[in-house]
Amino acid sequence: MKLYMVSLGPGDFELITVKALRALKNSDAICVPTKSPDNSFTRSMTYKIIQKLMEEFDFVKPIIPMYTPMHFKTEDWQNQVNIIHKSFEEYNTLSFVTLGDSAVYSTVYYLLDLIKEQNSIVYEKSEVIPGITSFSNASAKVKKPLCIGDGSFSIMPLHKKDVPNTTVYMRPKIGMKTAEIPQIGQMFTFENLNFKGENIFEQRKDIVDKYMTLFIDFVQ
Ligand SMILES: C[S@@+](CC[C@H](N)C(=O)[O-])C[C@H]1O[C@@H](n2cnc3c(N)ncnc32)[C@H](O)[C@@H]1O
């Protein structure tokens, strides 16, 4: 059993990662969100990307519609989780797909939180596959960096004020003491991700050992 939470990138099928494409090809079926209550895909960007990928890379998978009304209600996420659980009666490997990157305002973590509470086996067998965000794509299109030199950048939702703020801290100096990095939520330390000596600590490491270190203060 395997549940892939697959980030599809910002809408251009060529901006999907190799890992995401492999996950889709390895899946027995693909769960695709739709805003249409009749489960049609006429307005679904996600569906179009999946169709294009299947055409271009020569594979065909059954599509499981996931009605996603975007009302931010637990019952709507629960319905989607129920569909995933039910689908595992028929299929062994499933992908749930989301636009852009799953880390940024995606349904993925509403679903995973419920799955974690309700079915620890499926949660353990789940894997989140990251993707290219809409704003990375926007930056590339106009050839303007989001941050460079001493700069930083923020992501702010426009629908509300005074929102919780997760912060990513990058570009530390080797040997630097980290006690002064502000911490509001749960701080993680990531070292040498995907390289030799990868380490992930569920805390702020006291002293920076490697240049390839980033800290994330998760406040959600
Ligand atoms: C629910 S969030 C999803 C973000 C997505 N997970 C990502 O990684 O970019 C939707 C918002 O992302 C932005 N967005 C997503 N795709 C976009 C696109 N293709 N063009 C412009 N903005 C986009 C818009 O601000 C939109 O309201």
Side-chain angles (χ1 to χ4, degrees):
M1 178 193 279
K2 184 89 187 176
L3 174 62
Y4 293 109
M5 301 308 238
V6 178
S7 304
L8 288 181
D12 173 347
F13 79 98
E14 291 190 312
L15 290 177
I16 190 175
T17 64
V18 174
K19 212 177 185 72
L21 181 60
R22 282 225 171 97
L24 296 176
K25 284 180 142 184
N26 284 342
S27 294
D28 300 319
I30 303 174
C31 302
V32 179
T34 169
K35 288 184 203 137
S36 309
D38 65 355
N39 278 343
S40 69
F41 288 110
T42 33
R43 295 187 297 146
S44 169
M45 275 271 290
T46 319
Y47 182 76
K48 284 198 188 91
I49 299 169
I50 296 295
Q51 288 300 323
K52 186 79 180 150
L53 288 168
M54 292 201 291
E55 244 170 68
E56 288 284 327
F57 296 99
D58 206 20
F59 65 101
V60 180
K61 302 289 172 182
I63 302 294
I64 301 168
M66 300 274 269
Y67 176 47
T68 313
M70 305 282 282
H71 296 148
F72 296 92
K73 286 195 185 145
T74 307
E75 66 196 65
D76 296 330
W77 298 317
Q78 185 62 56
N79 284 338
Q80 295 175 62
V81 166
N82 293 347
I83 295 173
I84 291 175
H85 286 151
K86 187 105 189 78
S87 302
F88 273 122
E89 290 172 12
E90 195 176 341
Y91 303 109
N92 198 41
T93 302
L94 290 174
S95 279
F96 170 85
V97 292
T98 188
L99 283 174
D101 177 30
S102 50
V104 182
Y105 300 124
S106 144
T107 320
V108 160
Y109 288 97
Y110 294 119
L111 304 190
L112 275 182
D113 282 351
L114 290 174
I115 292 172
K116 191 177 184 182
E117 270 170 36
Q118 296 165 12
N119 194 332
S120 56
I121 298 172
V122 173
Y123 184 76
E124 289 304 316
K125 300 284 181 188
S126 68
E127 179 179 345
V128 178
I129 301 184
I132 295 177
T133 63
S134 52
F135 47 86
S136 293
N137 189 204
S139 153
K141 278 191 190 257
V142 296
K143 298 181 204 159
K144 285 191 177 293
L146 294 173
C147 43
I148 193 167
D150 294 331
S152 65
F153 91 103
S154 322
I155 301 168
M156 296 301 297
L158 288 169
H159 67 299
K160 267 191 187 166
K161 289 201 173 119
D162 301 326
V163 286
N165 184 41
T166 288
T167 308
V168 179
Y169 295 94
M170 304 175 80
R171 302 185 70 198
K173 289 222 160 44
I174 292 174
M176 120 176 216
K177 295 198 174 76
T178 62
E180 282 177 17
I181 301 177
Q183 180 172 350
I184 298 165
Q186 192 185 7
M187 182 86 88
F188 278 61
T189 306
F190 300 87
E191 283 180 350
N192 279 10
L193 286 180
N194 306 311
F195 297 125
K196 193 167 165 237
E198 173 179 302
N199 264 317
I200 299 176
F201 303 95
E202 294 189 11
Q203 63 202 33
R204 177 172 55 186
K205 221 179 140 179
D206 292 341
I207 294 188
V208 173
D209 285 325
K210 299 185 171 105
Y211 173 69
M212 288 295 183
T213 297
L214 64 82
F215 302 91
I216 303 184
D217 184 21
F218 291 98
V219 297
Q220 309 293 333

